[in-house]
Amino acid sequence: MKIAKLVFLFLLTAITASAQNSPTIDTSAIAAPKNIKFNYKQLIIPSLLIGYGVVGLGSDGLQGWNIDIRNEVVEDIDKKLTIDDFLQYTPAVSVYALNAFGVKGKNNFKDRSIVLGTSMVFVFTTVTALKKITKEERPDGSNNASFPSGHTALAFAGAEFLYQEYKDVSVWYGVAGYAAATTTGLFRIYNNKHWLTDVVAGAGFGILSTKAAYWLQPYISKHIFGSSANKSTGALFAPYYDGKQMGGSFVMSF
């Protein structure tokens, strides 16, 4: 499938560039809370992804490419695979799983949970609002909540979270997270639930949401949750909405 390969290469190029543009963070005090300082360069890749998706809403050329990709994919579908319903959570949950197995990341439970919770709020708010505003019909015609892809946004938010928390331990954790997020996006297209532009925009919103969460983490920790402490126990609930179903994920660390 030539078109499917182009889609994969497009997303892979974007996420690789995003990882390369992430700032380097000192790990000399791994137990202390870490945050990422704002840098306009961090906006480039998410903005390009979001811009591509937004332009696609009104571009005959991009919409035509959406249809060509959908038609080629649909021809090859024997049955739908719902792996994307579970894979979207894998990158974010992996951060807590790694910590549970003794692989320490950048932040303690409280600070990383603040980052993830803030990111999920951004994803939830942005995706829900845009689905209601754009009313883009899904490829399968099931409803008008196609743009952007909530599954993809959630997956890429988690992938950026995993990357930032563990890139100083091993960059391969981030690579695995972004691979899972990319696979989630591809399966949204494969299952005829989203157009390419929905998936690309969702990736951009997800990455940007997590970056913004890291920028805001020091302020939120100080003014909302009080001073950060290195605690080993805690819990987090993150809301989720994909335009059809509402839910959330709950994580507890002991």
Side-chain angles (χ1 to χ4, degrees), residues 57-223:
L57 291 172
S59 169
D60 292 338
L62 292 182
Q63 288 184 4
W65 196 22
N66 279 343
I67 294 173
D68 289 342
I69 293 172
R70 191 279 304 273
N71 290 342
E72 182 169 341
V73 170
V74 168
E75 288 179 0
D76 295 336
I77 292 180
D78 294 324
K79 64 178 181 178
K80 293 184 178 180
L81 301 174
T82 59
I83 186 175
D84 45 312
D85 288 335
F86 306 97
L87 197 59
Q88 61 180 322
Y89 300 109
T90 301
V93 172
S94 294
V95 173
Y96 293 90
L98 287 168
N99 272 269
F101 282 101
V103 184
K104 300 299 182 183
K106 192 179 305 301
N107 290 303
N108 59 40
F109 181 90
K110 177 182 177 181
D111 292 311
R112 67 174 177 266
S113 296
I114 289 173
V115 169
L116 180 59
T118 303
S119 176
M120 293 299 99
V121 168
F122 286 154
V123 169
F124 175 86
T125 303
T126 303
V127 169
T128 301
L130 287 175
K131 284 180 180 293
K132 291 182 178 180
I133 292 171
T134 60
K135 298 184 183 301
E136 182 78 358
E137 186 177 14
R138 291 185 186 274
D140 64 359
S142 59
N143 59 44
N144 293 324
S146 190
F147 183 90
S149 169
H151 282 64
T152 308
L154 187 67
F156 274 85
E160 179 67 12
F161 177 54
L162 176 60
Y163 174 73
Q164 293 298 339
E165 287 296 311
Y166 281 98
K167 68 176 183 177
D168 296 317
V169 177
S170 173
V171 70
W172 291 106
Y173 289 120
V175 171
Y178 269 108
T182 301
T183 302
T184 299
L186 292 176
F187 267 99
R188 295 309 286 165
I189 297 174
Y190 176 84
N191 287 327
N192 205 27
K193 286 297 183 180
H194 283 289
W195 308 103
L196 172 62
T197 46
D198 302 334
V199 168
V200 174
F205 282 119
I207 294 170
L208 184 59
S209 293
T210 296
K211 287 186 180 295
Y214 274 103
W215 299 333
L216 293 173
Q217 185 269 331
Y219 178 87
I220 295 175
S221 294
K222 180 179 179 179
H223 297 285

Side-chain angles (χ1 to χ4, degrees), residues 14-32:
I15 62 178
T16 302
S18 176
Q20 292 175 343
N21 278 281
S22 298
T24 300
I25 300 176
D26 181 18
T27 59
S28 58
I30 198 70

Side-chain angles (χ1 to χ4, degrees), residues 3-13 179 182-183 186:
I3 295 180
K5 290 180 180 178
L6 288 174
V7 175
F8 177 77
L9 290 174
F10 180 88
L11 289 177
L12 184 61
T13 300
T182 301
T183 302
L186 292 176

